Amino acid sequence: MTTWSIRELPVPTSLDSPGAWLLHGMVDAQNEAIREAWGSDDFATTARRALSQLEHQVDTRRVRLVAVDEATDGADPGRVLGFARLDLPLADNTHTGWLDLGVRPGHRGRGIGDALHTAACDAARAEGRTRLMTETEQAVEPPPGPQTLAAPTGEGLVSGTDVPVRFALARGWTLEQVARHSRLTLPLDLADLEEHRARAAAAAGPDYRPVTWVDATPEHWAEQMALLHVSMSTDEPSGALDVEQEVWDAARVLRDDAQTLSRDEHLLTTAVEHVSSGRLVAYSQLMIPPHTDEFVWQEDTLVAREHRGHRLGMLVKAVQLQRLVDERPSVRRISTWNAEENRWMLAINIALGFRPAGGSGVWQRSL
């Protein structure tokens, strides 16, 4: 007999309100799944982030479904057995959605994941979506062999025996791409880092100038950062994923920054200005989470197409790492993800000391 139900998570008025136990339970379940997959809490999320995402839905509608144990009652976060997080873009790509789904390790094999998957697909259809994307994580990329699946891009493998992969295949998902997780261990050799920066600066010459800011984007750069975000949405390798150009403006950049800062996360952004035009033509961003002072997320890095070939990718990342050492000397680990076919960015990361540390399969499903 089924002793659990699927509920849509209501938006609590605060993290301390009586109904917030469902949100806390979802976050606990997410972090259990993360810990099992990666063996650490580096990628853990927070209740404040989860609430912020539900409170701010101008650019993305967010549906949160939870499987709740009905054998007991009471406001116990432990009653949340699994979750489905559905993000539905509103400004662009309105035919798509991104799904993140998981079940606490001790409650798998009871049909909870299947029920959450069905409910999430139904919710996406009800919103008029025709495509969903998701990811499966792997702490180690498997070696070639008969039980692996290769991405259609020709780069990267996932293990066909992994439970999340089998789950996706059984429900009609298609592997479209493999992303590499790379990790940089600090402290860095500062002399080596300065050599990378100096060589890149010499190649760039006086036409380019790095600029760095902490947290919110300065208003005078917001419109140009919006243009770079638009380019990022189309220039980043995406295989056969059915995605379109994103819509960004200065208001969205500033709104996105404000939401990040409101949940105690911090940003470190380095950009490159083309001196003669006054335009930003490259950028790289780090996100510092609140739950640890030893780990940082490497987020987007982009060089505008017309300015490639001047080693701006290396310049922006080397300058950023130097600033990070000054701003956050306690950081010991940085993680980044890149499409396996993105050899240009992977080569920069490797030169800086990033090493492969697993990755993810990127999947697509028609509704």
Side-chain angles (χ1 to χ4, degrees), residues 138 140-145 148-151 154-160 175 177-179 340 359-361:
Q138 53 189 23
V140 178
E141 182 172 330
T148 60
L149 283 76
E155 302 286 345
L157 302 168
V158 299
S159 172
L175 179 67
Q177 191 177 47
V178 173
E340 284 282 6
S360 59

Side-chain angles (χ1 to χ4, degrees), residues 280-304:
L280 296 184
V281 297
Y283 80 105
S284 184
Q285 190 167 73
L286 298 173
M287 191 278 276
I288 299 103
H291 69 280
T292 174
D293 62 359
E294 294 189 353
F295 172 73
V296 166
W297 292 94
Q298 168 71 71
E299 301 204 322
D300 293 347
T301 300
L302 174 77
V303 177

